[in-house]
Amino acid sequence: MVTAVHEGPIQIIRDNPEVIAQILRTAFDIEVGDDLVIRSTSEECTQIAPTAYRADNVVEMCEGGSAETTLAVVAEMQQKKDLRKRKSWPVYLTTLHGKTACPCYLIVICPKRSVAEWAREPIRIGHPGFTLKPLVVGPGTKPLVTTTEQAAQMPELAIISTLANVSTPTRESLEITHAALATIENAGHENADLYTDLVVSALPRLARRILEELVSTGTAEYKFKSDLFLRHQALGEAGSVLKVLAARDLSVSDEVRERILSCRDQERLDEWLARAITVDSADELFD
């Protein structure tokens, strides 16, 4: 089933396909020209046989104003091991090469270490020299963005790096994530809300706390102009309160639900979350 977690990095690539060129350069040392027209194209890889293959995303690049594709990339998001992919990935690449007649690459984004290690294993077709080794972005990939300045210049790359768990979520790495999110939000990007939601959902609880602190005390250079991030944090905490009440089979009126969801006071939400474990009714949260 396609989920927001699956679609997140792919949506970022669709919004800004230039991030694929950045990944090729920074993660895999593949030379990509600067004078490029980069576009997302059809993900369909249909064969003469009745089976149709659909990649998550395909990006084509043209150099020097040429109308001809000079480099193409299949981008895939992989959350679990799936042996069927080891059969379809070569199909994606050979079909794309047949269409474009140019160098073609496969990038697979894997947030889980075990899946990333599995995806990196060579796919041996059998024909001498015909072996595909996917380019994997995930745990074990060298850092894609190492400073807040780079994050401000390439925010989408920094966000994909966070979603792919390329780096352990330390305070230093979260400062980079914070700079990227602030840059996107302050630029008025139409999907800033979505990107923030994806990052907040992907981070473990302690990392979210560190990021929240950075939002509250961030420098003037990388500071949210709106309360977008804090609104997401509050909604996440409010949702936790409602989940605890539901798990305990406590009835929640529309009035109580609205009061919980509309609260933006983090300390109060923390207090309600603690009370939700022991109260006999939802109304007792507010006593």
Side-chain angles (χ1 to χ4, degrees), residues 93-158:
L93 275 190
T94 53
T95 303
L96 187 59
H97 183 267
K99 171 190 172 185
T100 62
C102 72
C104 297
Y105 299 88
L106 169 68
I107 291 177
V108 185
I109 301 171
C110 303
K112 295 181 180 178
R113 182 172 295 278
S114 61
V115 178
E117 292 173 350
W118 164 82
R120 288 189 178 100
E121 296 175 3
I123 302 172
R124 295 180 173 84
I125 308 303
H127 185 84
F130 194 174
T131 299
L132 171 61
K133 187 174 182 180
L135 303 176
V136 175
V137 177
T141 302
K142 69 179 183 180
L144 305 182
V145 180
T146 58
T147 68
T148 54
E149 290 78 11
Q150 289 178 340
Q153 295 168 359
M154 302 181 290
E156 290 89 353
L157 181 62

Side-chain angles (χ1 to χ4, degrees), residues 14-232:
R14 290 194 185 108
D15 290 343
N16 182 33
E18 290 83 359
V19 73
I20 286 294
Q22 295 168 358
I23 290 174
L24 289 175
R25 292 188 190 105
T26 59
F28 306 108
D29 299 320
I30 294 173
E31 289 296 328
V32 180
D34 294 323
D35 184 17
L36 293 172
V37 175
I38 305 176
R39 60 180 182 267
S40 288
T41 62
S42 172
E43 292 92 5
E44 294 289 353
C45 302
T46 306
Q47 303 299 293
I48 295 175
T51 302
Y53 295 86
R54 184 178 177 86
D56 287 337
N57 189 253
V58 175
V59 173
E60 295 182 3
M61 307 182 194
C62 304
E63 290 184 347
S66 171
E68 297 295 324
T69 302
T70 53
L71 188 152
V73 179
V74 174
E76 286 274 288
M77 179 71 182
Q78 197 66 30
Q79 299 180 73
K80 62 182 180 179
K81 299 176 184 180
D82 185 348
L83 293 178
R84 292 172 299 178
K85 287 295 186 179
R86 299 184 67 79
K87 299 177 181 178
S88 59
W89 285 339
V91 174
Y92 296 165
L93 275 190
T94 53
T95 303
L96 187 59
H97 183 267
K99 171 190 172 185
T100 62
C102 72
C104 297
Y105 299 88
L106 169 68
I107 291 177
V108 185
I109 301 171
C110 303
K112 295 181 180 178
R113 182 172 295 278
S114 61
V115 178
E117 292 173 350
W118 164 82
R120 288 189 178 100
E121 296 175 3
I123 302 172
R124 295 180 173 84
I125 308 303
H127 185 84
F130 194 174
T131 299
L132 171 61
K133 187 174 182 180
L135 303 176
V136 175
V137 177
T141 302
K142 69 179 183 180
L144 305 182
V145 180
T146 58
T147 68
T148 54
E149 290 78 11
Q150 289 178 340
Q153 295 168 359
M154 302 181 290
E156 290 89 353
L157 181 62
I159 293 170
I160 286 180
S161 179
T162 298
L163 296 177
N165 290 319
V166 170
S167 301
T168 303
T170 62
R171 186 174 187 85
E172 181 179 3
S173 67
L174 290 169
E175 287 176 354
I176 292 171
T177 303
H178 166 248
L181 289 174
T183 299
I184 289 285
E185 194 271 337
N186 293 337
H189 194 291
E190 63 178 351
N191 278 335
D193 199 337
L194 170 64
Y195 295 176
T196 299
D197 192 31
L198 289 168
V199 170
V200 170
S201 299
L203 290 175
R205 186 178 179 85
L206 179 58
R208 289 200 302 270
R209 291 294 190 188
I210 295 173
L211 190 55
E212 178 186 1
E213 179 187 341
L214 289 169
V215 170
S216 301
T217 62
T219 64
E221 189 175 5
Y222 304 115
K223 192 171 182 65
F224 281 75
K225 294 179 180 176
S226 77
D227 66 346
L228 174 65
F229 180 86
L230 295 178
R231 184 164 66 249
H232 274 274

Side-chain angles (χ1 to χ4, degrees), residues 261-274:
L261 290 174
S262 63
C263 181
R264 296 293 180 266
D265 186 326
Q266 197 68 48
E267 289 186 6
R268 180 166 295 178
L269 285 168
D270 286 341
E271 181 182 342
W272 288 348
L273 183 58

